[in-house]
Amino acid sequence: MAEVTGLVRVVIVDDDPLVRGMLTMMLDGADGIVVVGEAADGGAAIAAVDRHMPDVVLMDIRMPGVNGITATERLRRRPRPPEIIVLTTFDTDEHVVRALRAGASGFLLKDTPPERISQAVRAVAAGNPMLSPGVTRRLMQRVASGAESYEHASNRLALLTPRERDVVVAIAQGRSNAEIATGLLMSVTTVKAHVSHILTKLDLDNRTQIALLAHDGRLV
């Protein structure tokens, strides 16, 4: 996992003020994290991000007005978007896939232990996706039946060089940059360069979306 230096700035988005207060008390000042703002719905979340410029947004899904999925899509289109962790009571396959396809870097349930949530904030701030343990295996088993067809995914993956495809497979297998470097006999710097090129070529936002595309295209 890449190292994060300095405070990680967080905005919390949830329509329940009690949940926002609980998360603020839990995270603010813990493990190098500072909560810089709150919002009660997706529309207010966008304004809060513009105002506070956070590194990470904790985003509920079901909210009045603009929901969390739509807000995530809009935020990820920004020139310098924050990383987004969806934090919700709903863990259906549909919610997981929609959130990750929208550009979320993490998906956690609200009953996740506090230390796990703070670890997730630090992880996504460092560019590493984070999913609840129970979500990952079920997601990968079923994502191929999602919105993107095998043919479409295969056509997009055909844009990659053989080496880039090797990196994509390793990402889909959940390997870190260091593990990919060891397995493919290259430096971590080279792995990071490959990941950056892959994201640009495929017009994706993060490693989780690379993994989804790899599963859609049946590379793993």
Side-chain angles (χ1 to χ4, degrees), residues 91-103:
D91 68 339
T92 64
D93 293 339
E94 177 189 4
H95 283 123
V96 175
V97 174
R98 287 183 63 204
L100 297 180
R101 291 195 190 283

Side-chain angles (χ1 to χ4, degrees), residues 29-78:
D31 197 24
I33 297 168
V34 57
V35 177
V36 295
E38 299 179 10
D41 61 58
I46 294 170
V49 167
D50 288 340
R51 185 181 312 117
H52 299 293
M53 301 296 290
D55 304 297
V56 177
V57 175
L58 287 180
M59 181 80 74
D60 192 17
I61 289 181
R62 291 190 178 179
M63 296 180 289
V66 179
N67 64 42
I69 301 293
T70 300
T72 296
E73 291 173 339
R74 292 178 182 176
L75 288 172
R76 291 302 303 176
R77 294 192 198 111
R78 299 295 181 88

Side-chain angles (χ1 to χ4, degrees), residues 151-164:
E151 290 78 13
H152 187 195
S154 294
N155 289 338
R156 294 179 68 189
L157 292 166
L159 298 172
L160 303 177
T161 67
R163 200 57 164 167
E164 288 169 344

Side-chain angles (χ1 to χ4, degrees), residues 69-131:
I69 301 293
T70 300
T72 296
E73 291 173 339
R74 292 178 182 176
L75 288 172
R76 291 302 303 176
R77 294 192 198 111
R78 299 295 181 88
R80 296 182 63 184
E83 301 297 336
I84 298 172
I85 298 174
V86 170
L87 187 64
T88 182
T89 55
F90 305 99
D91 68 339
T92 64
D93 293 339
E94 177 189 4
H95 283 123
V96 175
V97 174
R98 287 183 63 204
L100 297 180
R101 291 195 190 283
S105 298
F107 192 105
L108 300 177
L109 299 180
K110 287 182 179 177
D111 62 0
T112 300
E115 64 274 12
R116 175 76 173 175
I117 295 177
S118 63
Q119 289 170 3
V121 169
R122 298 284 292 179
V124 301
N128 299 286
M130 181 67 68
L131 302 178

